[in-house]
Amino acid sequence: MEFDPYNRTELTGPWAGFAFLGDRLITPEGRELLPEDLAWLSLTACQAQEWRRIMDPLRGKPAGPPQRNHCSAGDSKVVDVATLMARRQRRLSMVMADPGAEPPMAADTKTGPKPRAGG
């Protein structure tokens, strides 16, 4: 396959529907992406993979292994969203399990100055 930057080059196989036109990658939806637009593509793909891993058990599908080989955080601290969601769910279920518990206090919804006392 010879690349001509002035003619549209259609991709095949798993990339079918994508094409190159000059310095742009054309998506199947017709969006044109410049090279600098792809700088965050890896991060976006890692977020999508992690979201699928977290949501699959909720959909009744077995969770796949985390994609740490491609989406490593290096020296950064990684927050496991699935663990945070499970903790939150446990807290909420404990609160809901006590029917005699006082409801949480709501914030004062009135805005503006408060009326003066004794006036």
Side-chain angles (χ1 to χ4, degrees):
M1 172 193 267
E2 190 173 318
F3 181 74
D4 181 356
Y6 300 105
N7 289 324
R8 184 178 172 114
T9 304
E10 297 288 335
L11 301 178
T12 60
W15 290 95
F18 286 88
F20 282 108
L21 182 60
D23 62 347
R24 292 173 164 77
L25 174 66
I26 313 295
T27 68
E29 300 84 21
R31 291 189 179 92
E32 294 184 11
L33 302 173
L34 294 170
E36 56 268 22
D37 297 334
L38 300 176
W40 292 95
L41 187 58
S42 175
L43 175 61
T44 304
C46 288
Q47 288 173 331
Q49 290 167 358
E50 185 65 13
W51 183 255
R52 272 193 305 273
R53 188 184 71 79
I54 291 168
M55 297 307 290
D56 281 350
L58 299 176
R59 294 184 185 123
K61 298 178 184 176
Q67 299 292 324
R68 297 290 183 226
N69 55 343
H70 297 291
C71 301
S72 65
D75 293 335
S76 301
K77 182 178 179 183
V78 176
V79 176
D80 185 6
V81 178
T83 302
L84 294 176
M85 290 174 67
R87 284 184 198 157
R88 182 172 183 224
Q89 187 62 38
R90 279 194 305 272
R91 270 197 322 266
L92 289 174
S93 64
M94 283 188 257
V95 170
M96 300 300 284
D98 186 6
E102 291 286 325
M105 293 186 60
D108 186 10
T109 56
K110 277 189 163 181
T111 58
K114 298 199 184 275
R116 286 192 235 175

